[in-house]
Amino acid sequence: QVQLVESGGGLVQAGGSLRLSCAFSGRTFSGYTMGWFCQAPGKEREFVAVVNWSGGTTSYADSVKGRFTISRDNAKNTVSLQMNSLKPEDTAVYYCAARWGPYSEAPDRYDYWGQGTQVTVSS
């Protein structure tokens, strides 16, 4: 059984940075596509970023391109999301997710989810 545990959320002023991390356990990490998604109050869960099994291919939502960077360390079984130039509209709960298969931006294609970590950006 795969387990995902996120960390690194918090309160930050607009223009600031945060780094989210997700620890993966229970299976062979390098076989999984890893994604980050977010959900704001009253909204559906949305795609943020994804990285393929090797780390060689990434994709981002248009709203975060140039500001966020996803990366993975297959030796440490972790995936990270570096969030720079944060905006109040980035405020949401951020979830790490794992998918056994090619990378996808659709939340319903993911097999495992973490519990989420709150990111709040004040103006």
Side-chain angles (χ1 to χ4, degrees), residues 6 30 39 90 119:
E6 301 100 332
S30 60
Q39 188 166 19
D90 294 322
V119 171

Side-chain angles (χ1 to χ4, degrees), residues 17-20 67-71 80-84:
S17 298
L18 283 174
R19 185 176 181 87
L20 306 183
R67 300 189 298 123
F68 291 9
T69 303
I70 188 171
S71 61
S80 298
L81 185 69
Q82 178 66 42
M83 310 166 69
N84 297 330

Side-chain angles (χ1 to χ4, degrees), residues 26-110:
R27 291 287 188 272
T28 302
F29 179 61
S30 60
Y32 285 82
T33 290
M34 299 299 297
W36 285 97
F37 296 81
C38 69
Q39 188 166 19
K43 293 188 176 182
E44 293 186 352
R45 195 165 295 188
E46 298 179 344
F47 167 74
V48 175
V50 61
V51 60
N52 76 330
W53 68 273
S54 70
T57 302
T58 58
S59 181
Y60 298 90
D62 288 343
S63 60
V64 307
K65 281 181 182 176
R67 300 189 298 123
F68 291 9
T69 303
I70 188 171
S71 61
R72 67 188 294 158
D73 186 335
N74 285 350
K76 296 182 179 180
N77 290 1
T78 59
V79 59
S80 298
L81 185 69
Q82 178 66 42
M83 310 166 69
N84 297 330
S85 302
L86 282 160
K87 305 176 181 180
E89 51 264 44
D90 294 322
T91 295
V93 177
Y94 283 74
Y95 297 90
C96 170
R99 165 175 161 75
W100 182 260
Y103 78 83
S104 173
E105 299 180 4
D108 60 1
R109 297 295 182 93
Y110 284 75

